[in-house]
Amino acid sequence: MRKCVPSTDQLGFHRNIVALHFCEVTLTAKKPLSEAYPKTLNTLGDHRRKRRLDLKLFQKDVANIIGVDTNSIINWEKNRSSPRLYLLPKVFEFLGYNPLRSDTVTIGDRIRQYRVQNGLSLGKLAKRLGIDPTTLARWERGQIEPKGKLNDRVNLFLMNLTK
């Protein structure tokens, strides 16, 4: 049995008195989440902040992992700015998944998802596909779809990437 010596503080309140001297109970609970921990994952910044806090990393640690300065991480987490397109692959690698991934229905959606996932500009992907960047932009927006040999080339390109 635990012994506790009662004492009286400056205001006359009794301290250190065991309420139930015959019952020793130890209560445990998880530490509450930090106020900085996002309650919902609405933005890319929320996903990054959650991952950083889960890994118990500082913002400067994440900045070193991704290859940016600490202010970039702060601004991303506060949703003041977003990472540049070429940094997205490193961000997705840090997260372990792509939170921007959506159900791709059209060929334009699939092309855009691939482009963003790999941090490619319209110009760079258009060059890989051997087409004009304006045409690629129209495909992504769903204004037009690839026809004939271009359709075959794009489908083959996208199929090879998913294997």
Side-chain angles (χ1 to χ4, degrees), residues 116-130:
V116 170
Q117 178 77 30
N118 292 284
L120 297 173
S121 67
L122 280 167
K124 285 184 181 179
L125 183 56
K127 188 173 183 177
R128 282 189 187 179
L129 291 170

Side-chain angles (χ1 to χ4, degrees), residues 1-152:
M1 189 178 299
R2 193 166 34 148
K3 291 190 177 185
C4 205
V5 179
S7 63
T8 307
D9 65 10
Q10 297 168 344
L11 300 174
F13 292 103
H14 294 288
R15 302 279 183 220
N16 300 327
I17 298 173
V18 177
L20 300 173
H21 63 283
F22 56 85
C23 179
E24 287 212 18
V25 176
T26 304
L27 299 176
T28 58
K30 284 185 176 181
K31 183 178 176 182
L33 295 175
S34 164
E35 287 293 321
Y37 204 86
K39 291 163 186 48
T40 58
L41 300 177
N42 296 326
T43 65
L44 193 54
D46 295 337
H47 286 271
R48 280 189 299 272
R49 186 178 329 109
K50 178 186 180 305
R51 178 76 172 149
R52 178 179 64 81
L53 294 172
D54 287 346
L55 295 174
K56 296 179 174 62
L57 295 174
F58 293 108
Q59 289 168 328
K60 66 180 180 179
D61 300 328
V62 177
N64 289 334
I65 291 168
I66 295 177
V68 296
D69 65 353
T70 306
N71 287 330
S72 294
I73 299 298
I74 292 168
N75 288 329
W76 295 349
E77 287 187 1
K78 292 186 176 189
N79 297 309
R80 292 180 185 154
S81 65
S82 296
R84 303 279 308 264
L85 186 61
Y86 73 92
L87 291 170
L88 287 179
K90 289 183 180 180
V91 171
F92 298 151
E93 183 180 329
F94 170 72
L95 291 174
Y97 63 96
N98 177 355
L100 302 177
R101 186 170 275 168
S102 64
D103 294 332
T104 55
V105 178
T106 67
I107 194 163
D109 292 338
R110 291 174 47 213
I111 292 169
R112 184 174 197 298
Q113 182 174 320
Y114 170 79
R115 189 173 62 77
V116 170
Q117 178 77 30
N118 292 284
L120 297 173
S121 67
L122 280 167
K124 285 184 181 179
L125 183 56
K127 188 173 183 177
R128 282 189 187 179
L129 291 170
I131 61 169
D132 182 68
T134 307
T135 302
L136 182 61
R138 288 181 182 151
W139 289 352
E140 285 188 3
R141 289 192 302 261
Q143 292 174 329
I144 59 173
E145 289 192 10
K147 304 281 186 220
K149 290 181 181 178
L150 281 178
N151 188 36
D152 296 341

